[in-house]
Amino acid sequence: MRAQARIDLDAIRDNITAVRARVGSAAVMTVVKSDAYGHGMIPCARAAREAGATWLGTAVVEEALALRAAGDTGRVLTWLWAPGDAFEDAVRADVDISVSGLWALREVVAAARAAGRTARVHLKADTGLGRNGCTPADWPALVDAGLKAQADGAVEVVGLWSHFACADEPGHPSVPAQLAEFTAMAAHAEGCGVTPEVRHMANSPATLLLPQAHFDLVRVGLVSYGLSPVPQVGGPADFGLRPAMTLTASLAGVKRVPAGHGVSYGHAWTAPRDTTLALVPTGYADGIPRHASNVGPVLVAGRRRTIVGRVAMDQFVVDLGDDHAAAGDEAILFGPGDRGEPTAEDWARAIDTISYEIVTRIGVRVPRVYSGTTVGETAVEGTTVGGVAADGTAAP
């Protein structure tokens, strides 16, 4: 196989179990947006449910509907909406809907009436992140409108929530400020008559570092897949986590070249001596960052190497020096690190980004190959933006 992303579903189950042990009575939501951070939404959602995640979280409604189409019947929250989105489809599919402003509430009410059923909504507070969510100044009006819609039978306000800006920066002054703001905004809503089933604010870093932010539910994305959202504090093992993805490729060619031989577009690297080059058949079309040119780490022939020359759309090159390898040998781009291979965090540091981006960007040409599968799961699945269907075919 040219390349594959091996996904350890047992690792995902163990990661959720570790989170549950950390958060006490709080429920756990596994965030499976963006094809489960590149790991494959449907198999990962199943694994998370099996490990006790009673909620799933998606960014967009298409992801939530793909979960329903694959047979998931548990609680799912979707939070990123634009006017004209498929609110009615979400209501009919029993998906919880986040509401950040009056326009969205109006659309949910209309969708609920068209569907002939009550919509479950979570009112989102902007406590300082400055993205989605209702500002403190507009919060009273949204709460009042939500209660009126609830009295009319169109919606049930089941959740109050917010999101941290800097929970991954311990000691940042915005963290206690946001926590205090959310507490006050939730108290206002409850004082007006909202009786939420869940209050939630903790993302992955807050789940690990801020027990006072756990409330009734924590939302874990990166942590579910075994990566640390706070590498400056600790790696995965320090939090009882194990990375679930290992990205490998088969060498497409190995050849000896003389000193001065250029490599890849622009000859951004030339061989300083006679050397052996190995061709890895993955590139930026597969999600390998072009910024990894001349810096990306790869394990080949038992040693860590560095990409030489520019990463192209479909391939890149590593310098083996005088070491031996052959076409078909395995290159490990990243994994848990057990065999000395780079980790996703190593890649993130090499190109000055975060491990979230490294795993999420792995593209649809790279098959996901699952271990730790259960009945009804497939061993190999392709991916789409919306995930994969229960039978392993591309989700609509």
Side-chain angles (χ1 to χ4, degrees):
M1 191 176 291
R2 178 184 65 87
Q4 58 183 286
R6 302 172 188 163
I7 311 299
D8 184 349
L9 296 176
D10 285 337
I12 291 174
R13 295 183 185 98
D14 290 345
N15 295 334
I16 299 301
T17 299
V19 169
R20 291 180 62 203
R22 181 179 292 271
V23 301
S25 62
V28 174
M29 174 190 291
T30 292
V31 179
V32 294
K33 66 180 181 177
S34 191
D35 204 28
Y37 289 46
H39 292 69
M41 185 172 69
I42 302 304
C44 292
R46 289 182 183 139
R49 291 289 199 199
E50 291 164 358
T54 53
W55 290 75
L56 298 175
T58 72
V60 297
V61 66
E62 292 84 0
E63 295 166 329
L65 296 176
L67 288 169
R68 292 293 190 239
D72 189 279
T73 59
R75 298 296 288 276
V76 178
L77 173 65
T78 295
W79 50 76
L80 188 59
W81 297 91
D85 265 343
F87 287 96
E88 185 178 340
D89 291 343
V91 174
R92 291 185 184 278
D94 204 30
V95 172
D96 286 36
I97 298 170
S98 176
V99 169
S100 293
L102 292 174
W103 74 264
L105 183 62
R106 287 192 292 268
E107 295 218 15
V108 173
V109 168
R113 288 174 177 159
R117 60 186 302 172
T118 300
R120 287 197 303 264
V121 302
H122 298 230
L123 302 183
K124 185 174 185 183
D126 179 2
T127 56
L129 180 59
R131 298 189 320 194
N132 227 337
C134 182
T135 64
D138 294 334
W139 185 249
L142 181 62
V143 169
D144 288 348
L147 287 169
K148 181 179 184 302
Q150 181 168 279
D152 291 341
V155 309
E156 181 183 2
V157 181
V158 298
L160 302 171
W161 74 297
S162 190
H163 195 61
F164 283 107
C166 303
D168 57 347
E169 300 180 43
H172 195 284
S174 70
V175 174
Q178 280 195 260
L179 190 57
E181 188 69 75
F182 177 66
T183 301
M185 293 174 77
H188 171 86
E190 292 177 54
C192 291
V194 174
T195 55
E197 176 185 341
V198 287
R199 299 160 301 152
H200 49 109
M201 190 172 187
N203 53 3
S204 281
T207 297
L208 297 180
L209 302 179
L210 296 169
Q212 65 271 36
H214 290 170
F215 293 105
D216 307 303
L217 172 69
V218 298
R219 307 183 306 269
V220 286
L222 192 74
V223 160
S224 300
Y225 310 107
L227 299 174
S228 173
V230 283
Q232 76 279 26
V233 176
D238 296 309
F239 299 109
L241 307 172
R242 178 173 174 78
M245 181 187 289
T246 299
L247 182 64
T248 68
S250 296
L251 297 184
V254 178
K255 61 188 176 186
R256 193 73 178 171
V257 300
H261 197 290
V263 170
S264 196
Y265 294 121
H267 283 181
W269 186 87
T270 56
R273 64 196 181 291
D274 292 357
T275 194
T276 299
L277 302 179
L279 183 65
V280 181
T282 58
Y284 57 76
D286 303 295
I288 308 306
R290 191 170 182 271
H291 282 92
S293 301
N294 286 322
V295 295
V298 187
L299 184 73
V300 181
R303 291 177 51 192
R304 281 202 192 193
R305 319 286 175 170
T306 300
I307 292 173
V308 294
R310 291 181 183 160
V311 174
M313 185 178 293
D314 312 300
Q315 53 198 289
F316 64 81
V317 175
V318 295
D319 178 16
L320 302 184
D322 294 323
D323 292 338
H324 174 75
D329 286 356
E330 183 180 70
I332 306 179
L333 282 70
F334 60 79
D338 298 344
R339 292 184 283 170
E341 77 274 15
T343 64
E345 181 61 32
D346 291 331
W347 272 77
R349 289 176 177 167
I351 66 169
D352 193 25
T353 187
I354 54 178
S355 61
Y356 298 72
E357 182 181 0
I358 298 301
V359 292
T360 301
R361 69 187 296 157
I362 301 305
V364 298
R365 298 198 309 189
V366 180
R368 273 57 170 175
V369 180
Y370 295 93
S371 62
T373 57
T374 58
V375 175
E377 290 173 348
T378 55
V380 182
E381 298 189 15
T383 59
T384 68
V385 173
V388 292
D391 62 359
T393 59

